[in-house]
């Protein structure tokens, strides 16, 4: 059976720079009836584990280190034995949420993760955070963008460890070069496509945030 994409929404708090916000997060599960990857286990390890069921969880992949994308990762790892993967440059953000606990492995640009015969390529896309990554699965016609690109523009860059020119460069050079029909499955909110977002790059730059 070919890999498929499953979607779970969990809710909780995002905390950074002394502020706290209530957020809904997209959790993505990629695989088949035998094995899966989980992308961005947010808020509720039990709910994510229930969605995985009795399938083998090959890895827990975090697109970046903000607490709302990693807060359920250790709990899910405890339940499943799966390794937690994060780009090394987001280690400082990870430690804010999980002091004394390290991810099991590091994500690197160009790295390929395989699940159910389907490859996902890691694209390092800093800007929202230093170690932010997206996961491109050409066979599924999709890219999992974390908080780098949303329906309507780039992820936020007004907080610590973020930078607007950097996220614009990441989006321009790593995402907008993908086929226009590529579905962008985001960390929050609705999905979009590369073709829908690409024409608005200059508007985003003019807005400057």
């Amino acid at each position: 059976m070919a890999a498929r994409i499953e979607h779970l929404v969990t809710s909780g708090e995002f905390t950074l720079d002394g502020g706290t916000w209530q957020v809904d997060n997209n959790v993505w599960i990629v695989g088949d009836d035998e094995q899966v990857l989980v992308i961005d286990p947010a808020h509720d390890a039990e709910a994510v584990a229930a969605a995985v069921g009795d399938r083998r969880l090959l890895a827990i992949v975090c697109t970046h280190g903000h607490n709302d994308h990693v807060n359920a990762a250790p709990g899910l790892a405890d339940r499943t034995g799966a390794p937690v993967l994060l780009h090394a440059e987001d280690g400082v953000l990870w430690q804010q949420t999980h002091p004394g606990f390290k991810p099991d492995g590091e994500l690197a640009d160009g790295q390929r993760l395989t699940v159910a015969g389907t490859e996902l390529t890691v694209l390092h896309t800093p800007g929202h955070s230093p170690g932010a990554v997206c996961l491109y699965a050409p066979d599924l016609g999709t890219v999992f963008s974390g908080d780098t690109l949303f329906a309507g523009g780039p992820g936020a860059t007004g907080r610590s460890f973020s930078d607007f020119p950097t996220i614009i460069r990441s989006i321009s050079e790593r995402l907008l070069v993908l086929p226009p029909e590529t579905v962008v499955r985001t960390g929050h909110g609705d999905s979009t496509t590369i073709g829908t977002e690409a024409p608005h790059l200059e508007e985003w730059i003019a807005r400057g945030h």
Side-chain angles (χ1 to χ4, degrees), residues 2-26:
R4 61 182 183 269
I5 300 167
E6 300 165 30
H7 179 211
L8 180 68
V9 177
T10 58
S11 301
E13 293 183 344
F14 166 51
T15 302
L16 187 67
D17 296 342
T20 298
W21 300 264
Q22 290 294 320
V23 290
D24 296 328
N25 282 65
N26 294 324

Short mmCIF file of all heavy atoms in Angstrom, two decimals, residues 2-26:
data_model
loop_
_atom_site.label_atom_id
_atom_site.label_comp_id
_atom_site.label_asym_id
_atom_site.label_seq_id
_atom_site.Cartn_x
_atom_site.Cartn_y
_atom_site.Cartn_z
N ALA A 2 0.55 2.22 -0.84
CA ALA A 2 1.35 3.44 -0.94
C ALA A 2 1.17 4.30 0.31
O ALA A 2 0.16 4.19 1.02
CB ALA A 2 0.92 4.23 -2.18
N ALA A 3 2.17 5.13 0.56
CA ALA A 3 2.08 6.04 1.69
C ALA A 3 0.92 7.01 1.51
O ALA A 3 0.59 7.43 0.41
CB ALA A 3 3.39 6.82 1.85
N ARG A 4 0.29 7.35 2.60
CA ARG A 4 -0.78 8.32 2.60
C ARG A 4 -0.52 9.34 3.71
O ARG A 4 0.35 9.14 4.56
CB ARG A 4 -2.14 7.64 2.82
CG ARG A 4 -2.27 6.90 4.14
CD ARG A 4 -3.62 6.21 4.26
NE ARG A 4 -3.80 5.55 5.55
CZ ARG A 4 -3.47 4.30 5.81
NH1 ARG A 4 -2.94 3.54 4.84
NH2 ARG A 4 -3.66 3.78 7.00
N ILE A 5 -1.27 10.42 3.70
CA ILE A 5 -1.10 11.50 4.67
C ILE A 5 -2.34 11.58 5.54
O ILE A 5 -3.46 11.65 5.04
CB ILE A 5 -0.87 12.85 3.96
CG1 ILE A 5 0.38 12.78 3.07
CG2 ILE A 5 -0.76 13.98 4.96
CD1 ILE A 5 0.50 13.95 2.11
N GLU A 6 -2.11 11.53 6.84
CA GLU A 6 -3.19 11.69 7.80
C GLU A 6 -2.96 12.97 8.60
O GLU A 6 -1.82 13.39 8.80
CB GLU A 6 -3.27 10.48 8.73
CG GLU A 6 -3.51 9.18 7.98
CD GLU A 6 -3.22 7.95 8.84
OE1 GLU A 6 -3.41 8.03 10.08
OE2 GLU A 6 -2.80 6.93 8.27
N HIS A 7 -4.05 13.57 9.06
CA HIS A 7 -4.00 14.90 9.66
C HIS A 7 -4.72 14.89 11.00
O HIS A 7 -5.85 14.42 11.10
CB HIS A 7 -4.67 15.90 8.70
CG HIS A 7 -4.70 17.30 9.19
ND1 HIS A 7 -5.71 18.18 8.86
CD2 HIS A 7 -3.86 18.00 10.00
CE1 HIS A 7 -5.49 19.35 9.43
NE2 HIS A 7 -4.37 19.26 10.13
N LEU A 8 -4.05 15.42 12.01
CA LEU A 8 -4.62 15.54 13.35
C LEU A 8 -4.40 16.97 13.81
O LEU A 8 -3.34 17.55 13.58
CB LEU A 8 -3.91 14.56 14.29
CG LEU A 8 -4.31 14.50 15.75
CD1 LEU A 8 -5.71 13.91 15.89
CD2 LEU A 8 -3.30 13.67 16.55
N VAL A 9 -5.41 17.57 14.44
CA VAL A 9 -5.27 18.91 15.01
C VAL A 9 -5.30 18.79 16.53
O VAL A 9 -6.22 18.18 17.09
CB VAL A 9 -6.38 19.86 14.52
CG1 VAL A 9 -6.25 21.23 15.20
CG2 VAL A 9 -6.33 20.02 13.01
N THR A 10 -4.28 19.36 17.18
CA THR A 10 -4.24 19.39 18.64
C THR A 10 -4.13 20.84 19.09
O THR A 10 -3.69 21.71 18.34
CB THR A 10 -3.04 18.59 19.18
OG1 THR A 10 -1.83 19.13 18.64
CG2 THR A 10 -3.16 17.11 18.81
N SER A 11 -4.53 21.10 20.32
CA SER A 11 -4.59 22.47 20.82
C SER A 11 -3.83 22.59 22.14
O SER A 11 -3.79 21.66 22.94
CB SER A 11 -6.05 22.89 21.03
OG SER A 11 -6.77 22.82 19.83
N GLY A 12 -3.23 23.76 22.35
CA GLY A 12 -2.49 24.00 23.58
C GLY A 12 -1.87 25.38 23.56
O GLY A 12 -2.36 26.28 22.87
N GLU A 13 -0.77 25.52 24.27
CA GLU A 13 -0.13 26.83 24.42
C GLU A 13 1.19 26.90 23.67
O GLU A 13 1.96 25.95 23.66
CB GLU A 13 0.12 27.11 25.91
CG GLU A 13 -1.15 27.30 26.72
CD GLU A 13 -0.85 27.66 28.17
OE1 GLU A 13 0.30 27.46 28.61
OE2 GLU A 13 -1.77 28.13 28.86
N PHE A 14 1.41 28.06 23.06
CA PHE A 14 2.72 28.41 22.50
C PHE A 14 3.32 29.46 23.41
O PHE A 14 2.68 30.48 23.71
CB PHE A 14 2.57 28.95 21.08
CG PHE A 14 3.80 29.64 20.54
CD1 PHE A 14 5.04 29.02 20.59
CD2 PHE A 14 3.71 30.90 19.99
CE1 PHE A 14 6.18 29.65 20.10
CE2 PHE A 14 4.84 31.54 19.49
CZ PHE A 14 6.07 30.92 19.55
N THR A 15 4.54 29.22 23.88
CA THR A 15 5.19 30.13 24.82
C THR A 15 6.57 30.49 24.30
O THR A 15 7.37 29.62 23.95
CB THR A 15 5.33 29.46 26.20
OG1 THR A 15 4.03 29.09 26.67
CG2 THR A 15 5.96 30.41 27.20
N LEU A 16 6.84 31.81 24.25
CA LEU A 16 8.16 32.29 23.84
C LEU A 16 8.30 33.73 24.28
O LEU A 16 7.33 34.50 24.23
CB LEU A 16 8.33 32.18 22.32
CG LEU A 16 9.73 32.49 21.77
CD1 LEU A 16 10.75 31.45 22.21
CD2 LEU A 16 9.70 32.55 20.23
N ASP A 17 9.51 34.10 24.69
CA ASP A 17 9.82 35.49 25.05
C ASP A 17 8.88 36.04 26.13
O ASP A 17 8.55 37.22 26.13
CB ASP A 17 9.77 36.40 23.81
CG ASP A 17 10.83 36.04 22.78
OD1 ASP A 17 11.80 35.36 23.15
OD2 ASP A 17 10.67 36.45 21.62
N GLY A 18 8.44 35.18 27.03
CA GLY A 18 7.59 35.63 28.13
C GLY A 18 6.12 35.73 27.81
O GLY A 18 5.32 36.06 28.69
N GLY A 19 5.74 35.45 26.58
CA GLY A 19 4.32 35.49 26.20
C GLY A 19 3.77 34.09 26.00
O GLY A 19 4.51 33.14 25.72
N THR A 20 2.46 33.97 26.15
CA THR A 20 1.78 32.69 25.94
C THR A 20 0.53 32.92 25.12
O THR A 20 -0.24 33.85 25.38
CB THR A 20 1.41 32.04 27.29
OG1 THR A 20 2.61 31.77 28.03
CG2 THR A 20 0.66 30.73 27.08
N TRP A 21 0.33 32.05 24.12
CA TRP A 21 -0.81 32.15 23.22
C TRP A 21 -1.46 30.78 23.07
O TRP A 21 -0.77 29.76 23.03
CB TRP A 21 -0.37 32.65 21.83
CG TRP A 21 0.28 33.98 21.85
CD1 TRP A 21 -0.29 35.19 21.61
CD2 TRP A 21 1.67 34.27 22.09
NE1 TRP A 21 0.65 36.19 21.70
CE2 TRP A 21 1.86 35.66 22.00
CE3 TRP A 21 2.79 33.46 22.39
CZ2 TRP A 21 3.09 36.28 22.19
CZ3 TRP A 21 4.02 34.07 22.60
CH2 TRP A 21 4.17 35.47 22.49
N GLN A 22 -2.78 30.75 22.96
CA GLN A 22 -3.48 29.51 22.67
C GLN A 22 -3.41 29.26 21.15
O GLN A 22 -3.72 30.15 20.36
CB GLN A 22 -4.95 29.60 23.11
CG GLN A 22 -5.12 29.62 24.62
CD GLN A 22 -4.70 28.32 25.27
OE1 GLN A 22 -4.96 27.24 24.74
NE2 GLN A 22 -4.04 28.41 26.42
N VAL A 23 -3.03 28.05 20.77
CA VAL A 23 -2.86 27.73 19.35
C VAL A 23 -3.42 26.35 19.01
O VAL A 23 -3.48 25.47 19.87
CB VAL A 23 -1.36 27.78 18.94
CG1 VAL A 23 -0.83 29.20 18.94
CG2 VAL A 23 -0.51 26.89 19.86
N ASP A 24 -3.82 26.21 17.77
CA ASP A 24 -4.16 24.91 17.19
C ASP A 24 -3.03 24.50 16.27
O ASP A 24 -2.58 25.30 15.43
CB ASP A 24 -5.46 24.97 16.39
CG ASP A 24 -6.66 25.31 17.26
OD1 ASP A 24 -6.67 24.93 18.45
OD2 ASP A 24 -7.59 25.96 16.74
N ASN A 25 -2.56 23.29 16.40
CA ASN A 25 -1.43 22.80 15.61
C ASN A 25 -1.83 21.65 14.71
O ASN A 25 -2.63 20.80 15.10
CB ASN A 25 -0.30 22.30 16.53
CG ASN A 25 0.52 23.41 17.13
OD1 ASN A 25 0.00 24.21 17.90
ND2 ASN A 25 1.80 23.46 16.80
N ASN A 26 -1.25 21.64 13.52
CA ASN A 26 -1.41 20.50 12.61
C ASN A 26 -0.33 19.46 12.90
O ASN A 26 0.85 19.78 12.90
CB ASN A 26 -1.28 20.95 11.15
CG ASN A 26 -2.41 21.87 10.73
OD1 ASN A 26 -3.55 21.71 11.16
ND2 ASN A 26 -2.10 22.84 9.87
#
